[in-house]
């Protein structure tokens, strides 16, 4: 089970995106897509791990706001118990009326993978769930 959590920062005109995945599943997936030694919990080179992690996420997570694809800017990641939280920012977002999330995170390695998508825009919270092979969630505000 993965989580994609989107929160609006009205003052900064940004959307903060947090992605939570279990570390063992994520490391297994990264090991299959990378030639590097993958260790997210105790990396020898954190910047290298960040590059690998963001490359993996960018290929499997896309977001559109008001029917326009948006760029994802990587902020970093941290561990929390058995999970990894990855932090991403979407800049220059005015008032979102719709958010389309296409998440295939871990789908290529876990056939039963499900991802929950939460979004909070102007204090309104909405959520949805997709299970492999379904990947698209559209939330209207």
């Amino acid at each position: 089970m993965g989580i994609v959590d989107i929160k609006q920062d009205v003052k900064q005109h940004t959307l903060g995106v947090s992605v939570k995945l279990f570390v063992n599943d994520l490391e297994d997936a990264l090991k299959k897509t990378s030639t590097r030694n993958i260790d997210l919990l105790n990396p020898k080179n954190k910047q290298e791990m960040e590059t690998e992690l963001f490359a993996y996420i960018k290929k499997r997570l896309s977001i559109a706001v008001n029917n326009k694809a948006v760029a994802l800017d990587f902020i970093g990641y941290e561990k929390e118990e058995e999970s990894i939280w990855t932090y991403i920012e979407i800049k220059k977002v005015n008032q979102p009326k719709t958010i389309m999330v296409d998440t295939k995170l871990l789908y290529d390695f876990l056939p039963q993978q499900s991802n929950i998508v939460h979004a909070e825009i102007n204090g309104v919270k909405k959520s949805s769930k997709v299970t492999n092979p379904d990947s698209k969630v559209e939330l209207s505000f």
Side-chain angles (χ1 to χ4, degrees):
M1 179 73 63
I3 296 173
V4 177
D5 191 24
I6 302 169
K7 288 197 169 103
Q8 179 186 34
D9 184 329
V10 177
K11 291 179 183 169
Q12 299 295 321
H13 299 286
T14 61
L15 294 177
V17 181
S18 304
V19 177
K20 182 180 182 181
L21 298 167
F22 284 109
V23 69
N24 58 338
D25 295 337
L26 184 55
E27 282 186 340
D28 287 347
L30 288 172
K31 286 174 185 172
K32 292 175 181 166
T33 61
S34 175
T35 57
R36 295 191 174 140
N37 184 25
I38 301 296
D39 185 349
L40 294 170
L41 298 178
N42 301 296
K44 288 180 183 165
N45 182 333
K46 180 141 185 185
Q47 188 173 8
E48 216 174 68
M49 285 302 99
E50 289 177 342
T51 300
E52 290 290 326
L53 177 60
F54 191 47
Y56 177 83
I57 288 175
K58 276 199 316 192
K59 287 182 182 173
R60 292 161 182 85
L61 176 68
S62 60
I63 298 174
V65 177
N66 300 334
N67 297 314
K68 290 185 180 175
V70 293
L72 305 178
D73 292 320
F74 183 77
I75 295 171
Y77 79 91
E78 66 181 354
K79 56 188 170 188
E80 177 189 78
E81 296 175 12
E82 313 253 325
S83 300
I84 294 288
W85 279 99
T86 304
Y87 302 106
I88 298 165
E89 184 177 62
I90 300 169
K91 296 177 181 167
K92 298 179 184 172
V93 177
N94 288 319
Q95 186 51 45
K97 295 194 181 357
T98 62
I99 296 176
M100 170 69 82
V101 178
D102 188 353
T103 172
K104 295 180 180 83
L105 295 166
L106 301 179
Y107 277 20
D108 37 1
F109 305 107
L110 297 171
Q112 290 83 31
Q113 176 70 15
S114 293
N115 291 310
I116 295 174
V117 176
H118 300 293
E120 184 176 343
I121 306 297
N122 278 338
V124 177
K125 297 178 183 180
K126 296 207 174 177
S127 297
S128 189
K129 176 181 166 186
V130 288
T131 300
N132 194 356
D134 296 329
S135 65
K136 292 183 179 173
V137 171
E138 184 169 356
L139 303 171
S140 297
F141 295 90

